Amino acid sequence: MPKNLATRTSGAWLLGPALVAGVAYLDPGNVASNMTAGARYGYLLVWVVVVANVMAWLIQYLSAKLGVVTGRSLPEILGHRMKRPWARRAYWLQAELVAMATDIAEVIGGAVALQLLFDVPLLLGGIITGAVSMVLLAVQARRGPRHFEFVIIGLMAVITIGFMAGLFLAPPSPTGILSGLVPRFTDAGSVLLAASILGATIMPHAIYAHSALARDRFGRADSDAPGIPRLLTATRWDVSIAMVIAGTVNLAILLLAAATLAGVAGTDSLEGAYAALAESLGPVIATLFAVGLLASGLASTSVGAYAGAEIMHGLLRVRLPLLARRLITLIPALLILGLGVDPTLALVLSQVALSFGIPFALIPLVALTAKRSILGEYVNRRRTTVLGIVCAVLLIALNATLLVLLATGA
């Protein structure tokens, strides 16, 4: 076994990369999409959250497996396999636009949280969120992945408490939950929100990032190294824990909105939801919700910047310093905040944009992990590849349906 791998598999603590990538599933876009879905449609879209998290487990495991076995990230492998510069640049452009949509959601979410908690103007809140994220990225750059993981996992704990506290005072209806498990839509708006939930849950940048996080943690190794089976077992546990946490919190947000905010005017926005929670459940629950939103924005924007840097490095073979990239990607979000665009609407639409980037990340991931020339003996089993194809087809079909509905004004 290579020395690097032997060292990294000898410790008892192998979890972490999936928990960091899993923060992407708890970003402000998720909060806005799930809160809006519950407030507008009650329990109708519970099934979308459940299906999205089941699909996310498979997708994140495949991404992590690619990084563990090859010692390279998905963008690195794609950049190596795309021989024509124009193809790499075109692929990078769509991936970069997706990363920017992610940044928009996360910075806006942090800005809204600061306004709710401290009455900070949205533009200033966006600047503060960006500045704090730069501090977190400096931890990753200077102290290494383990310290970065500890910080992000700590923020994940704050997110979980903040978004789930309200359920103890306003338990959801068991009958409503069961009815929400039946797949169905009622109108174009419910399809739009379903696409938003999927875009917020199965995030393209998380697919790119997870393979890089696994590479950074476990290093490069020969595909026949004896430590890899142990790493893959630990990775399955890591992904399972991360997806259970993310899925539970996302479902809790929708259920809280369905139980408390359904039919209440103005609660399909984060500010309206905060005010309604304060009125119905008290200021403590509302404050915890805002704190969870702030932690969500800070953690997820740091992971998003990390993913964007990896996308650029892998596809363009250019590595910008993380902090410089953070400054550049703050611009679109700050422009939106400065122009006075409704922040909740911007969050939801950013998640719809993310859903259209999913196939560009998912199809290559499934294809690469099905190649024996890439993964050797760790290549996907046939049923795993089939399930990955099914996920991709379902996501593409939903996005195509959404486009038709929007085009016809249904």
Side-chain angles (χ1 to χ4, degrees):
M1 184 190 302
K3 182 178 179 181
N4 178 269
L5 185 67
T7 301
R8 292 178 183 272
T9 59
S10 61
W13 186 253
L14 296 173
L15 307 181
L19 292 169
V20 174
V23 165
Y25 297 84
L26 297 173
D27 80 332
N30 287 84
V31 180
S33 296
N34 291 314
M35 188 68 71
T36 302
R40 288 186 184 175
Y41 295 99
Y43 299 97
L44 177 71
L45 298 179
V46 165
W47 68 274
V48 178
V49 178
V50 174
V51 169
N53 277 276
V54 171
M55 295 167 70
W57 186 97
L58 174 63
I59 293 166
Q60 291 307 132
Y61 174 67
L62 292 181
S63 176
K65 182 170 77 167
L66 187 69
V68 167
V69 176
T70 67
R72 292 186 293 172
S73 69
L74 177 59
E76 281 181 317
I77 295 174
L78 290 174
H80 177 74
R81 294 176 70 87
M82 292 180 181
K83 302 302 182 184
R84 297 181 178 180
W86 66 266
R88 284 190 288 108
R89 290 171 189 150
Y91 190 93
W92 166 80
L93 180 60
Q94 65 79 29
E96 192 67 42
L97 290 174
V98 164
M100 290 176 68
T102 302
D103 264 336
I104 288 171
E106 292 156 353
V107 174
I108 288 176
V112 171
L114 287 170
Q115 184 180 65
L116 295 176
L117 288 168
F118 307 111
D119 200 26
V120 175
L122 285 174
L123 182 58
L124 178 58
I127 294 172
I128 293 172
T129 300
V132 175
S133 72
M134 291 177 71
V135 174
L136 297 180
L137 289 170
V139 172
Q140 196 275 341
R142 297 180 181 179
R143 303 297 297 274
R146 287 301 287 141
H147 289 87
F148 185 60
E149 287 171 11
F150 285 136
V151 173
I152 298 299
I153 291 169
L155 288 172
M156 179 181 277
V158 175
I159 294 167
T160 302
I161 295 170
F163 290 145
M164 294 191 65
L167 287 181
F168 293 98
L169 295 181
S173 162
T175 304
I177 296 173
L178 290 175
S179 68
L181 292 173
V182 179
R184 67 195 189 280
F185 299 109
T186 57
D187 55 23
S190 61
V191 178
L192 175 66
L193 276 172
S196 181
I197 290 170
L198 285 169
T201 304
I202 305 171
M203 302 185 79
H205 82 281
I207 299 174
Y208 299 123
H210 202 163
S211 57
L213 289 164
R215 175 206 63 198
D216 290 350
R217 168 68 88 83
F218 302 119
R220 300 177 182 272
D222 297 329
S223 61
D224 60 350
I228 286 182
R230 185 184 178 204
L231 289 178
L232 292 179
T233 298
T235 296
R236 283 191 286 272
W237 278 103
D238 196 21
V239 174
S240 297
I241 293 169
M243 291 302 99
V244 166
I245 294 172
T248 300
V249 174
N250 280 320
L251 191 57
I253 294 168
L254 189 149
L255 295 179
L256 179 64
T260 309
L261 308 179
V264 179
T267 54
D268 54 356
S269 70
L270 291 173
E271 299 90 339
Y274 172 84
L277 287 173
E279 184 176 347
S280 60
L281 300 180
V284 173
I285 296 299
T287 299
L288 287 173
F289 171 82
V291 170
L293 181 63
L294 178 60
S296 168
L298 294 175
S300 54
T301 194
S302 303
V303 176
Y306 170 89
E310 184 60 36
I311 290 167
M312 178 175 284
H313 168 67
L315 292 167
L316 297 188
R317 297 160 191 174
V318 173
R319 188 177 287 282
L320 280 181
L322 271 175
L323 299 185
R325 179 185 170 79
R326 170 76 283 180
L327 286 172
I328 294 170
T329 55
L330 274 176
I331 294 173
L334 295 180
L335 283 175
I336 289 175
L337 291 172
L339 292 172
V341 176
D342 176 61
T344 302
L345 177 62
L347 282 170
V348 172
L349 291 180
S350 72
Q351 304 312 294
V352 175
L354 288 177
S355 72
F356 288 101
I358 293 169
F360 293 99
L362 180 52
I363 292 174
L365 175 67
V366 174
L368 290 171
T369 53
K371 288 182 178 294
R372 188 168 292 274
S373 60
I374 301 292
L375 293 189
E377 64 181 292
Y378 304 105
V379 66
N380 291 345
R381 295 178 181 178
R382 181 171 299 178
R383 65 173 178 269
T384 303
T385 300
V386 169
L387 287 173
I389 293 171
V390 169
C391 290
V393 169
L394 288 174
L395 291 167
I396 293 170
L398 178 61
N399 289 336
T401 303
L402 176 62
L403 278 178
V404 171
L405 290 172
L406 291 175
T408 59

